[in-house]
Amino acid sequence: MATSQTEVESQAVELSAEAFEAFCDDISGMFGADMACEQQDVTTVTVKDLKKHFKKLTAVNSVKAEGVMDGTFQLVFDQGGLFTLSGVIVMMPANRILEEIKRGTVEDMEAMNDAIGETGNLLVGTWDRVFREGLEGHGHFVQSNSFIGKPWDEPEKTIGLAADGEFVFVSYEMTIGEYPAFKCGVIFPRTIFGSKSDAEQAASAQEEPKEKPATEEAAATEEKAEPAQEEPEEKPATEEATATEEKAEPAQEEPEEKPATEEATAEQKEADADTDASDNTIEEKPAVTDEKEESKEPAAGVVSETIQKMAESPAVLPGESTDIFLAICAKDIMEKNIIWGNPDDSVQQVLAKMQQADAGYTMVGSDGALEGIVSKSDIAGAISPYLRPIFAKWRRPLDDATLQIKTKWIMTRPVHTVSPDTSLAAIMQNMSQLGQRGLPVVDKQGKVQGLVTVFDIFRFMLNDNPNVSMIGKTSKAPPLI
Amino acid sequence: MAKSLMIVDDSATMRKIIMRTVRMSGLKFERTEEAGNGAEALQKLGGSPVDIILCDVNMPEMMGTELVKKVRELDSCANTKIVMVSTESSKELIDGVMADGANGFINKPFTPEKFQEKLSPLID
Ligand SMILES: [Mg+2]
């Protein structure tokens, strides 16, 4: 049995790396997300130091330990970790997660309370397992409390951490998939390692002071007194990054340049509030509000550019006049045979339908009312590339699992639509501005009548044989699965 | 034969995660039920028993361990298999709940493979 305090301490520090790694493996296994973590530092810290490490919202899971480790310790995640982990767990769309990482508030967090609580629960479960296997004399770990917010000004009240205590802090950097790395760590109060058989250790004055209001106050004042010099001299690269990021965003205010994902989220929120798809119907005027709008399909860039040039330049195809762009309307060139899917359909079901019909898009909704739209590119982005036949050798169950993602998580919404009488010129301009290669045609009642894709336009402009359908065909591309 | 499943967990998120993981494991259930606590589970089971119950341990109001005992008192659930799903994995807990009538134990976090491994012997 581990007897000395130092021995237990060093074992616990070692096992904490193992536990965080095991947690990454567990979450990877459960959710098919690629996760990794790397130990940064083992230091003795005070609450003030912790505050510098975790400046934004912080999630603190208090864990009650019994056995050779006896007392309570804390598992902490920074704001990025908090939102990335719980977002991945509830399968929140990537753009929403990225948004919450940057600007998530306590309110956003409350909406995800259940997911965050379960994340902490899973984390403690993994820790308990790793310590049971690795630490002789381990009793068990139970999650005793979870706190989300800014705990450092009243650490004793919020997370049960003595304001003037000294702690062993092991910090880690964790990554999930393509999301930005985030910080997490474990805070062990020194007293937790005091083994009962170790009389001299127990007697040493390491005990956690219960309350020392005077010192606490002093610490608080001290903190207030140092507004700018908070940065320590030497800091690990990651912290610097966080610090810079924080300086860049003084409050919850919107910065000048926002990431593309934010628009998507804003739009999604809008869509949540107002599901009437016809609100987004583009009439004769080109979409003016949409200079913010980012393409969900970067590949559309080249095509869109071409269309834009065609639309802008007075160049005329043989036998045509520019008037034709105004005279021809959506209803004249749209494809009427369109595919529908349900928001709860799996990607696999949708893909099967699209391949069957050789279509590039699926309308999502019911009874002609549009809730979203899914393109082949959306699907390609959502499913594992290892599902392609050429990668068959490397295909694993987790790759197959991506086929079960629900359509509603990947569909684009709100959907930009045109009316049956929208002119070809307006359609082309909208396509190029929105970076969209297909626009559903919706009538005044909000019913979908058809779909216009760039291929329909090409076909029309090239005077191709109208009997040959080219609707959204990607037959030259390798099959997705 | 068509099988039915009930997931009992106080966290809605966890119920969804379990549901998804069961689906990913390739196991097929014709009917799936959810309950947020022991009382709700008992009420639903009284009306229509299920083949498998996946049951959380730590739940407010009625602990999963308590629910196991109660289910075992129901004649209608004589053939129901109960598998505990919990982050707690102490030997005493597992031994205790198995003695009370649970048929298996899956640790959180879990994988689809784990569900496949633990549940398929109970289904066939
Ligand atoms: Mg629970």
Side-chain angles (χ1 to χ4, degrees), chain A residues 118 121, chain B residues 9-11 56 58-59 108:
Chain A
E118 281 308 305
N121 201 11
Chain B
D9 199 305
D10 58 311
S11 157
D56 185 22
N58 284 322
M59 290 185 287
K108 289 176 190 168

Side-chain angles (χ1 to χ4, degrees), chain A residues 289-303:
Chain A
T289 54
D290 289 313
E291 80 276 19
K292 302 190 297 178
E293 187 81 43
E294 281 297 328
S295 165
K296 270 204 84 173
E297 299 170 274
V302 182
V303 175

Side-chain angles (χ1 to χ4, degrees), chain A residues 52-53 84 116 119 169 239 377 382 406 408 420 449 473:
Chain A
K52 286 175 198 161
H53 275 279
T84 313
I116 289 166
T119 311
F169 176 55
E239 194 188 336
S377 322
K406 284 186 181 177
K408 63 182 171 195
Q449 299 296 328
K473 260 192 186 173

Side-chain angles (χ1 to χ4, degrees), chain A residues 241-252:
Chain A
T242 321
T244 327
E245 194 191 304
E246 262 163 36
K247 269 181 220 139
E249 47 169 292
Q252 296 284 15

Side-chain angles (χ1 to χ4, degrees), chain A residues 9-10 12-17 20 38-45 50 53-54 74-76 127 167-173 183-188 193:
Chain A
E9 182 178 325
S10 71
V13 168
E14 223 169 273
L15 283 171
S16 67
F20 270 126
E38 206 177 309
Q39 188 174 308
Q40 302 291 300
D41 227 344
V42 185
T43 43
T44 301
V45 296
L50 288 167
H53 275 279
F54 298 95
Q74 277 79 18
L75 296 169
V76 257
W127 273 67
F167 313 95
V168 178
F169 176 55
V170 194
S171 61
Y172 293 83
E173 191 178 88
K183 216 188 280 186
C184 59
V186 55
I187 306 167
F188 291 122
F193 305 118

Side-chain angles (χ1 to χ4, degrees), chain A residues 444-461:
Chain A
K444 286 198 174 69
Q445 285 72 44
K447 296 268 185 217
V448 179
Q449 299 296 328
L451 172 75
V452 179
T453 69
V454 290
F455 298 102
D456 298 306
I457 298 172
F458 290 168
R459 189 190 62 198
F460 165 75
M461 285 167 62

